[in-house]
Amino acid sequence: MYIYELPFEINKELCRLLDNDDDWKELAGVHMKYSAFDVNEIEQVAKRQGSSPTNQLFTVWGQLNHRVEELFILLYRMKHIPALRCLVPVVDSRFHRLLQKQDSKCLKEKHPLSSDGNANRQKTLKVEGSDSSLPLPVMLIEKAIQLPTPSKAYDDDQPTDESYTDSTKNSTSTLDGKPNALDDEFLKSVSAIPLLSYEDLREATNNWSDSNLLGKGGFGKVYKGEWKLLPVAVKKLLDNDGKNKELIREMCLNQYRHDNILPLYGYSLGGPEACLVYQFMAGGSLEQRLRCKSFHPPLTWCQRYRIAHGVARGLLFLHTMAGTPLIHGDIKPANILLDQCTMPKIGDFGLARKGPYGEERTHLKVSRVHGTRPYLPDEYLRTRCLSPAVDVFSYGIVMVEMATALPVIDKGRPVLLLSDFIHQLARERVDFATEEDKNIRGSQNSNPQLCREFVNIGLHCTKYLRHERPTMLEVYKRLDAMNFPGKEIFK
Ligand SMILES: Nc1ncnc2c1ncn2[C@@H]1O[C@H](COP(=O)(O)OP(=O)(O)OP(=O)(O)O)[C@@H](O)[C@H]1O
């Protein structure tokens, strides 16, 4: 059951319990990992509406497709027994064992059953024979499910989150290291994304046949497959240290559904390699289409416009959907997948990070730069300043590539990087129409005016100074205002 499906009476009782003593703030800030800014925003909205802040929190969190089982585990971590009891009728019976543990030594009730939910708080729990401060069931469940909280995986000012790797590997083991079907069951029931067996995926991809290989990336190989009569793309992740973090990140991001974000259908943790299963994109990647590496004909201008428009929409969504923007960090044609109608979807969220929040915070300082060099701006490469403007810069390069199909790095060119080259052409007042993709230049598909407009947007987005670049909203509006024959059909 999803949070937004909670029966009215249960929701009401939970609001009463969690509004008390502002317990909802602990739930939101400590356990759901909302920022102080977001918590404040939730409180303000509730005040304006004269409603319960817990109810507002559930509305915001529920929009991310979280389930009551996840809430149950967070309340367990809070040791909020009255709220847990309230949820018992709507969670699977396997979760009841958490509540049953309350009387045992390992869980001291922080909220003894009193009608107002007030309680003496026991802050520290100790497990006998364990050096952990968490009770065994929670450790087990946390290892099994790695709860998808909105910011946990992305909160990466200090990206040293190696813990995610281990937790993925351990996900089907009990504490004594033996596989445990029950934990798989937990995983299945808690995650909204199906957990698939490695064997099914092996079968779906014809035993990882080379003829099914769609491509290779830094995180592993991607195979075409058929799963439940559905064409899928299966990414088999390299078993490198740290790489499986992508799995967790992608799963978290999957909470954000949008027409221009590649949907994750499922995942597999049980086999030798972790796998992610995506919608198969019959149009291939933008990279393949621009480099004519597929059997498809060159993209028409209407299709290029559609891609530019859709990617701008997807990025606008990521940057603005919550109080804290989500920065993709690796926008490039290889990560823009096209469906059979050339509708673009942004994929590969392995490097996505939660960005700065609050008006006074414009960027984060990260300890390591990830991404693809020619698509990254100077302030990120040199000073490790991460902000939505990094995605805007990368988007600008993609716009120039879509117009010209020029390589992003060319040793045979007087200027190595495409970003520098295009700014040099602008200084020399070259007509960008002369640089139109040679696959359509001079053909009936040629559109010199759109070519100029695309490059001009690219120039704006790749300005050296971050604050001189447009926001994705501005880019989107500029694209939307463009006019050319056939625009309405392809938008
Ligand atoms: N859902 C999909 N449908 C069809 N083809 C896909 C899909 N996902 C990936 N591919 C193909 O597989 C290739 C490799 O994808 P992958 O995301 O692993 O790597 P990449 O983005 O090229 O590189 P990196 O991950 O190192 O940035 C893509 O370029 C694309 O051609």
Side-chain angles (χ1 to χ4, degrees), residues 214-220 222 233 235 262 278-281 285 288 330 332 334-335 337 348:
L214 290 168
K216 284 182 204 171
F219 290 104
V222 183
K235 189 185 271 194
L262 185 66
Y278 295 99
Q279 176 185 352
F280 171 69
M281 299 293 280
S285 71
Q288 290 168 326
D330 201 16
K332 59 179 179 178
N335 289 339
L337 284 311
D348 220 340

Side-chain angles (χ1 to χ4, degrees), residues 217-228:
F219 290 104
K221 293 181 178 175
V222 183
Y223 296 84
K224 186 173 179 195
E226 192 183 274
W227 174 70
K228 307 264 177 223

Side-chain angles (χ1 to χ4, degrees), residues 40 70 86 90 144 204 250 306 314 338 442 468 476:
N40 186 43
E70 293 173 55
C86 196
V90 286
E250 298 240 20
R306 180 172 218 202
L338 309 173
E468 288 183 359
Y476 179 80

Side-chain angles (χ1 to χ4, degrees), residues 40-51 56:
N40 186 43
E41 206 166 66
I42 289 166
E43 190 169 32
Q44 293 313 317
V45 172
K47 264 192 193 143
R48 274 200 302 278
Q49 296 176 347
S51 63
Q56 179 60 21

Side-chain angles (χ1 to χ4, degrees), residues 129-150:
S130 158
D131 57 0
S132 165
S133 61
L134 288 171
L136 288 175
V138 174
M139 285 168 52
L140 201 63
I141 292 160
E142 285 183 340
K143 286 191 170 176
I145 64 172
Q146 272 301 309
L147 278 179
T149 56

Side-chain angles (χ1 to χ4, degrees), residues 448-485:
Q449 190 47 34
L450 269 185
C451 178
R452 288 185 200 104
E453 295 206 41
F454 268 46
V455 176
N456 279 324
I457 292 179
L459 282 170
H460 194 186
C461 291
T462 54
K463 288 254 183 197
Y464 182 78
L465 294 175
R466 168 164 61 94
H467 63 263
E468 288 183 359
R469 289 172 215 148
T471 61
M472 280 321 296
L473 180 61
E474 286 160 344
V475 172
Y476 179 80
K477 283 185 178 164
R478 192 165 161 185
L479 280 166
D480 223 35
M482 277 184 192
N483 269 318
F484 60 93

Side-chain angles (χ1 to χ4, degrees), residues 396-426:
I397 304 288
V398 173
M399 286 298 281
V400 177
E401 284 186 273
M402 274 204 283
T404 65
L406 289 170
V408 279
I409 292 192
D410 186 352
K411 287 189 180 144
R413 199 165 48 199
V415 183
L416 185 70
L417 292 174
L418 182 57
S419 51
D420 295 336
F421 180 58
I422 211 73
H423 280 277
Q424 179 173 310
L425 294 186

